[in-house]
Amino acid sequence: PRLGHVARTFDDENGHTDAVAALCVCAGRVVSGSWDSMVKVWHPETGKCENTLEDPGGTVRGLADVAGRLVSASEDGTIRVWDPARSWSHVRTLHDHSDIVNAIVPLVDWPPTRDDDEEHDAAVDAPPDAIEAQTRLAARVASNRATKFASGGDDGAINIWSADDLRCLLTL
């Protein structure tokens, strides 16, 4: 497409009503978080909004795919965990920050395993028309290997969380 040309538009009717503050990819979907206190799940090919998750914590400031779950950071100092395998249902709300949570990031164990190396080699050797598959593979390997995640907020704290049991393991 030429500069300024919109190749595909997303579902305006079901879009956010305020500024988008966070984006990530989870379960093969584009996920957006907004000042309107909503998390929206978008189909990347059709542009249709497939799910709307209400976050009662206010502005959604951060999103991440952590071990196949969606994790959102909220203005009220909470972190919410959502399960895409169960129709994006709410799993738990975490309360260890005392102020706005601004960022979420998965922590991937290092070094990579032998299986990860083999998957990486297969993706690198793939034909050029397989770039979308390579991108999906890289995201899946990274998010599925995350055994922990970190959150940071206006309280000055960086919390390290277990992706399995959702406990705060350490505050930096």
Side-chain angles (χ1 to χ4, degrees), residues 108-117 145:
V108 178
D109 289 339
W110 196 257
T113 67
R114 183 174 213 42
D115 289 341
D116 293 337
D117 287 341
R145 283 192 26 238

Side-chain angles (χ1 to χ4, degrees), residues 52-107:
T52 298
L53 315 173
E54 187 173 352
D55 187 336
T59 298
V60 179
R61 295 183 173 249
L63 294 166
D65 178 339
V66 178
R69 291 181 181 165
L70 176 67
V71 180
S72 62
S74 300
E75 187 175 38
D76 70 348
T78 61
I79 296 166
R80 286 178 174 71
V81 181
W82 313 85
D83 187 352
R86 293 186 357 218
S87 300
W88 299 91
S89 62
H90 178 253
V91 174
R92 189 177 305 166
T93 301
L94 310 175
H95 297 276
D96 279 23
H97 282 280
S98 63
D99 205 344
I100 296 168
V101 182
N102 292 307
I104 298 285
V105 63
L107 301 176

